[in-house]
Amino acid sequence: MKLLKKRSIAILIVAIVVIAATLVGVYSSAHRVSREAERLFFDGLVLEDGRPQASISRGLHNSADAALSLATLMRSYPELENSANMLLSTQQELMSAGSISEKASAATVMREAFFALETAAEQVNLSERDEEALMQFSASFSGAMTAIGNAQYNAFAEARLSEQNALLRQMSRFLGARTPELFYMS
């Protein structure tokens, strides 16, 4: 007990408590910002003019639905079967992707496979019904990709990151706190 009555020990204990509380606060703040941004990736956001903007996640599901529909339809054509199976594979990769960056990579690959199948299908003698379906699925897919491209999620996440000062960002990295993942399709 004599040790705790020494002024230098008391100052050391207070310093340790202040440092620990600061580190916990920095970690908690960074984690909260990350969760808030990622929630907008999945739920969408409200624009400054008050209009709701659909989430990137919703756009990914819509594009995956169009890809699944197109691939399923085009598998019945022997000359398109390989391209259709490739699209199905990439669609499944997108649906099983866990992180936002994994979803961006998978969506990029799926987009390429979709356009490859679409181009190949245009070279095949499709039935009139299948041509109409191709146009419908292509329009749905393009609309979903446009919505994803117009989403304000990245701007919001980057703004939230820039609101933190440099010291706070460095401390967050040092502590291993998550930062909001950005969604960039190449």
Side-chain angles (χ1 to χ4, degrees):
M1 284 299 186
K2 273 186 167 182
L3 191 60
L4 292 178
K5 292 184 180 181
K6 288 188 175 182
R7 182 179 179 101
S8 60
I9 298 296
I11 290 173
L12 179 62
I13 290 172
V14 167
I16 290 171
V17 168
V18 167
I19 290 170
T22 300
L23 294 176
V24 167
V26 166
Y27 183 86
S28 175
S29 175
H31 188 69
R32 180 182 43 77
V33 167
S34 180
R35 273 195 339 253
E36 181 181 322
E38 289 177 4
R39 181 181 51 78
L40 296 175
F41 176 86
F42 292 101
D43 297 342
L45 55 101
V46 177
L47 300 175
E48 289 180 8
D49 63 4
R51 290 180 300 130
Q53 184 177 66
S55 69
I56 291 177
S57 181
R58 171 66 17 225
L60 291 173
H61 282 285
N62 291 344
S63 65
D65 288 346
L68 176 63
S69 297
L70 179 64
T72 302
L73 178 67
M74 294 300 144
R75 284 176 69 182
S76 63
Y77 293 90
E79 57 269 54
L80 299 175
E81 187 174 4
N82 287 340
S83 295
N85 286 336
M86 178 61 77
L87 180 56
L88 284 173
S89 174
T90 63
Q91 186 267 354
Q92 291 169 355
E93 285 179 37
L94 172 62
M95 297 311 293
S96 65
S99 70
I100 291 173
S101 58
E102 288 173 353
K103 289 180 184 302
S105 295
T108 299
V109 174
M110 185 184 73
R111 180 184 61 199
E112 292 168 6
F114 187 96
F115 292 142
L117 177 57
E118 180 182 44
T119 301
E122 290 170 351
Q123 306 305 314
V124 173
N125 188 18
L126 300 176
S127 70
E128 186 176 321
R129 187 189 73 150
D130 289 349
E131 280 185 29
E132 289 175 15
L134 172 63
M135 290 186 330
Q136 177 187 3
F137 299 143
S138 294
S140 294
F141 189 84
S142 294
M145 286 291 135
T146 299
I148 290 168
N150 292 336
Q152 298 297 310
Y153 167 75
N154 285 335
F156 176 83
E158 288 171 342
R160 295 297 292 173
L161 284 173
S162 69
E163 288 173 4
Q164 296 177 337
N165 66 36
L167 177 61
L168 185 60
R169 283 194 303 269
Q170 290 300 325
M171 288 177 67
S172 296
R173 286 188 193 115
F174 172 74
L175 294 171
R178 290 185 331 138
T179 58
E181 280 190 82
L182 300 178
F183 182 87
Y184 287 114
M185 290 178 59
S186 51

